Amino acid sequence: MNPGVVLFHTTTAALRAEKTAQKAGLKVKLIPTPRELSSDCGIALRFDLADRQPLEQALSAAGVEGEFHELKAE
Amino acid sequence: MIYLDHAATSWPKPPEVLAAMHDFLERAGGNPGRSGHRLSIAAGRVVYDAREALAGFFGINDPLRVIFTLNATHALNIAIQGLLQPGDRVVTGGMEHNAVMRPLRGMEARGVQVVVAPADGAGMLSPAAFAEALQTGAKLVIVNHASNVCGSIAPVAEIAALAHQAGALVLVDAAQSAGVIPTDLPALGADLLAFTGHKGLQGPPGTGGLVLADTFDPAQLQPLVRGGTGSRSEYEIQPDDLPDRYESGTPNGAGIAGLGAGLKWLLERGAAVREHELALAARLREGLGNIPGLQLYGPADPRQATGVISFTLAGKRVSEIGYRLDEEFDIQSRVGLHCAPAAHRSLGTFPQGTVRLALGPTTAPEEIETVLRAVARIAQT
């Protein structure tokens, strides 16, 4: 899979996003926020870029604001 | 032992509460929201799940609007100190606890005008008294949802409607009501609601929260405590994001885990808990009312009150009654002013106070009969 990552301003928002995504049947994982992206909050949501559209929709419907990024290979 | 001090703290806690706290410390022991490792995330999930369950319980859509605090007093202080500015006018009722009155008197010294709408002798607040006090407007109206002295339930929705007409925000003190009677923010008309975790919600001490209505604009509420939140760490100014704006410092994760378990325990039992307490309160009031020389306080109709009952006995000091209940009959009550001198003034029981019997979900019918025999005996001798 090609991974993407969603960043949040608070850990609570990240945890809410994880639950929201799982309810929508999307495979996601909370990971330490990649330092090159932000130091906003300690955890970020990793997802499969193929799921970007349904994930954006699910988060937006739940009112969770997040910032979507592609994860570049090292 | 017969424990009738549930208004001070509920006891015993459901075994699930103890198990959840043990599990948190043993299995999910990281610092929620500070690190990215598995223990931290596991701890974060436990705290988040409790936050989400509480949001549903209080009838709001956004779980980020549940702000965890140490207790109801802490939540009330965030609201009172964070909303009011010198020159503002605040209206409250005559049944308030010192958790409201002391911060208000502190704000009064800083130039906030405090107006008290009187309660009647049965501890009931009247919308008419609030309407009169609101004629010249107010920034904030604070209502004690249920009295910790005599259990009286305030007509919060009616008072809130009047407050909103006058352009005021509504803060509800749900310390005694959360987990006992419905505390849905939209139904109450509350903009902010303060609750504690260790009473009706069956959680441990050191837990509570301030719930913000979905329609409330947090920009008007300044944080009481500022510090580390695990978010926006590159900035030395407090973040505006909810809930972090009001939640600096490591939260009481083990306590919040217990609170989540307490709420779950309560929700599994539903309306049966209130019906159980109502039936016992009705029997207790009836039996106490038959004891010569005994004066009952609070509403005569049990449906207008929680399971909190106050009484005095002619010619007996309340401290002596409480001591004898404990020493001779192994019954735990609470006597005195219950940190609520304003409420006792309204009831006409200041400064001597009352004997308070506060029922809980685990109180048994036969315990009520034992208490009635004990009080009758104390009244005679």
Side-chain angles (χ1 to χ4, degrees), chain A residues 9 15-16 18-19 39-40, chain B residues 45 48-49 52 231-232:
Chain A
H9 292 313
L15 291 160
R16 189 173 185 213
E18 180 196 36
K19 247 187 147 166
S39 61
D40 250 17
Chain B
R45 282 197 191 102
Y48 178 77
D49 287 348
E52 190 178 71
S231 56
R232 296 193 192 264

Side-chain angles (χ1 to χ4, degrees), chain B residues 257-291:
Chain B
L259 171 58
L263 176 61
K264 184 162 179 276
W265 183 91
L266 195 69
L267 290 173
E268 282 163 6
R269 280 149 188 83
V273 173
R274 169 70 171 149
E275 290 307 315
H276 171 76
E277 290 175 15
L278 261 180
L280 296 188
R283 170 65 191 132
L284 185 55
R285 279 195 79 88
E286 181 206 1
L288 289 173
N290 291 332
I291 295 172

Side-chain angles (χ1 to χ4, degrees), chain A residues 9-13 15-16 18-19 23 30-32 39-43, chain B residues 33 36 41 44-45 48-49 51-52 62-63 230-232 234 241 243-244:
Chain A
H9 292 313
T10 68
T11 302
T12 309
L15 291 160
R16 189 173 185 213
E18 180 196 36
K19 247 187 147 166
K23 269 186 202 150
L30 288 171
I31 59 164
S39 61
D40 250 17
C41 134
I43 50 175
Chain B
I41 292 174
R45 282 197 191 102
Y48 178 77
D49 287 348
R51 199 188 298 278
E52 190 178 71
D62 184 358
S231 56
R232 296 193 192 264
E234 67 271 40
D241 311 287
D244 295 13

